[in-house]
Amino acid sequence: MSIAKSYIFTSESVTEGHPDKICDQISDAILDAIFAKEIELAEAGYVAPGGLPADPTQVRCACETLVTTGQVVVAGEIRTQAYVDVQTIVREVVTEIGYDRAKYGFDGNTCGVLNAIHEQSPDIAQGVDESWEVQHGADATVDPYENVGAGDQGMMFGYACNETSTLMPMPIYLAHRLAERLTEVRKSGLLAYLRPDGKTQVSVRYEDDKPVAVEKVVVSTQHADDIEHAALSADIIEHVIKPVFAAEGVEMAEDAGIHINPTGRFVIGGPMGDCGLTGRKSIVDTYGGMGRHGGGAFSGKDCTKVDRSAAYAARWVAKNVVAAGLADRCEIQVAYAIGMARPVSVLVETFGTAHVPEADIERAVNEVFDLRPGAIIDDLQLRRPIYRKTAAYGHFGRELPEFTWEATNRVEQLRAACGL
């Protein structure tokens, strides 16, 4: 007689007003502006004084942001023919988030903005512009995907499971929905005393690796000075937690614990309460710790940076494997060497949940998906201004038109490759 495996798994999310997420959104808003302007210039036939035509395929961006009390610092390496007004972009992002007056602790209209962006290193650029394969004899005129080398070395992971409708783990999925709802009730005026900074956390009980109940919920939200804790707690339960769980059809355990602002007070928040940095919420951005993470952040990076594009592709692959019914859980690891087009390895892990031999799944993945950076960029249409939307509430599990990596458009090809 087998004994049921029981455990609790916890994941967190943060709102768009969290200091780190402010930074992610600024970095991605700058990237979006560069792509939009470069596309506009290319369509107009613009040629720079040095003779180089505008071309979105030549955009390179690694944009980092720091925020602290009254100050935003933007730095990094960028290559583009376009000019974008970094200071205006910063101020627009911060005020759109909701930090638009000094009494909130941060004001996008009056904060200092320091721009320390410079040009990308030619040592990095050369391996992306002309891959190792082409430098050693591959013919890019026959196969153009051979020409785009990976923008860095490293390993990237993608994950999917059949716990939710979007094939995301339940703890991070619910944490994101709660964080989104916090922002919705603030911006709509339903709970106008809320401020932009906030965090959510959900603990789910699993039996035999299947989610069965929500055990704990934690919500911490910045608020106006004059709201009483008891009133805030009642409002968050009634207008945030209950609607989200009802919409998702999720049951809470009878003795489930709900903790709202456990310190009792959260007035000082945002950059005044904590310094923020781009890329510091990588587990929030991905699978809440349920799937592994390669270590590379996403925001502010153009699609030649495999930290971002290959992580999106790995999610696309894993989601299609699960959607095809080949496994209940799937994790994809793909690894690259800087300047090389072809991955150095691709690994498929199904954690014992495969419904066909795992070797068949791995063979099918390599047959159906081209994981060279150039192919990923084209297949997922990544040279577009789509990135600001990814920079809050998760890069995965949101089936928006821009999130092409969430499409389950290779299901039939995978099934056919596995003989189904």
Side-chain angles (χ1 to χ4, degrees):
M1 179 178 176
S2 62
I3 299 174
K5 180 183 177 184
S6 178
Y7 58 91
I8 296 173
F9 194 92
T10 300
S11 296
E12 72 160 354
S13 181
V14 298
T15 65
E16 62 194 53
H18 185 281
D20 295 330
K21 278 289 143 200
I22 295 173
C23 295
D24 287 343
Q25 290 167 91
I26 290 171
S27 293
D28 273 340
I30 291 169
L31 174 60
D32 278 355
I34 290 169
F35 266 126
K37 188 65 176 179
E38 191 85 28
I39 291 167
E40 177 188 328
L41 292 174
E43 291 174 347
Y46 172 80
V47 178
L52 291 174
D55 182 357
T57 70
Q58 296 303 304
V59 167
R60 303 289 182 265
C61 183
C63 182
E64 312 290 344
T65 304
L66 176 149
V67 296
T68 188
T69 304
Q71 183 73 39
V72 179
V73 180
V74 182
E77 303 80 46
I78 292 177
R79 185 179 78 183
T80 179
Q81 300 290 344
Y83 168 79
V84 298
D85 189 340
V86 169
Q87 182 164 146
T88 296
I89 293 168
V90 168
R91 297 192 188 283
E92 287 177 349
V93 170
V94 174
T95 55
E96 285 170 10
I97 288 168
Y99 284 114
D100 55 3
R101 60 198 68 184
K103 72 176 184 178
Y104 294 171
F106 200 74
D107 183 358
N109 298 299
T110 60
C111 65
V113 179
L114 174 61
N115 181 355
I117 291 170
H118 58 89
E119 191 174 0
Q120 185 191 45
S121 161
D123 291 353
I124 295 174
Q126 68 177 358
V128 179
D129 296 342
E130 186 177 70
S131 71
W132 182 91
E133 286 87 346
V134 169
Q135 292 179 39
H136 289 77
D139 188 350
T141 62
V142 175
D143 186 351
Y145 294 147
E146 286 288 87
N147 198 45
V148 181
D152 202 352
Q153 72 172 46
M155 66 284 189
M156 298 81 211
F157 290 92
Y159 182 83
C161 59
N162 58 8
E163 296 176 15
T164 60
S165 60
T166 60
L167 305 186
M168 285 288 285
M170 185 175 285
I172 188 65
Y173 180 79
L174 292 176
H176 282 323
R177 302 294 79 76
L178 290 171
E180 284 180 319
R181 180 65 179 169
L182 266 180
T183 297
E184 181 183 337
V185 297
R186 171 176 62 87
K187 289 188 169 181
S188 70
L190 179 61
L191 301 181
Y193 60 80
L194 295 183
R195 301 293 180 252
D197 197 357
K199 303 180 82 171
T200 61
Q201 187 170 285
V202 177
S203 302
V204 175
R205 176 168 294 282
Y206 284 76
E207 303 286 350
D208 286 335
D209 293 326
K210 300 294 183 183
V212 295
V214 174
E215 293 280 338
K216 294 284 190 300
V217 176
V218 181
V219 177
S220 295
T221 179
Q222 187 185 9
H223 58 84
D225 194 20
D226 57 357
I227 186 70
E228 295 292 332
H229 184 264
L232 182 145
S233 293
D235 280 347
I236 296 300
I237 291 170
E238 184 64 27
H239 298 295
V240 176
I241 296 174
K242 285 184 177 180
V244 166
F245 281 25
E248 299 299 334
V250 173
E251 296 289 334
M252 292 192 69
E254 289 185 8
D255 58 347
I258 298 177
H259 305 284
I260 312 297
N261 283 15
T263 66
R265 177 181 169 86
F266 187 0
V267 174
I268 299 172
M272 187 176 182
D274 194 8
C275 180
L277 292 168
T278 298
R280 202 161 57 177
K281 284 290 174 285
S282 57
I283 298 303
V284 171
D285 285 342
T286 53
Y287 308 101
M290 187 71 79
R292 284 176 284 194
H293 195 287
F298 300 155
S299 290
K301 296 178 180 177
D302 76 86
C303 47
T304 65
K305 312 292 191 296
V306 285
D307 280 343
R308 182 169 218 163
S309 54
Y312 289 177
R315 162 66 178 171
W316 182 41
V317 174
K319 187 171 183 180
N320 275 269
V321 167
V322 174
L326 305 181
D328 296 338
R329 298 168 62 199
C330 180
E331 183 181 77
I332 303 293
Q333 185 203 55
V334 58
Y336 297 87
I338 188 169
M340 296 187 69
R342 300 171 200 171
V344 297
S345 68
V346 178
L347 172 67
V348 177
E349 171 62 70
T350 61
F351 308 96
T353 69
H355 300 294
V356 299
E358 200 167 79
D360 290 353
I361 300 175
E362 188 162 320
R363 177 180 47 77
V365 164
N366 284 300
E367 178 181 320
V368 172
F369 294 93
D370 188 340
L371 294 175
R372 291 175 294 175
I376 292 170
I377 290 167
D378 279 0
D379 285 340
L380 299 181
Q381 305 166 54
L382 297 180
R383 286 195 174 102
R384 298 181 294 150
I386 59 173
Y387 296 104
R388 166 91 187 270
K389 283 188 177 181
T390 69
Y393 312 115
H395 293 246
F396 308 121
R398 299 162 63 206
E399 296 177 331
L400 304 174
E402 297 87 351
F403 288 44
T404 49
W405 48 93
E406 292 296 315
T408 51
N409 53 359
R410 299 287 175 93
V411 164
E412 295 307 318
Q413 290 169 263
L414 282 172
R415 290 180 60 81
C418 287
L420 300 177

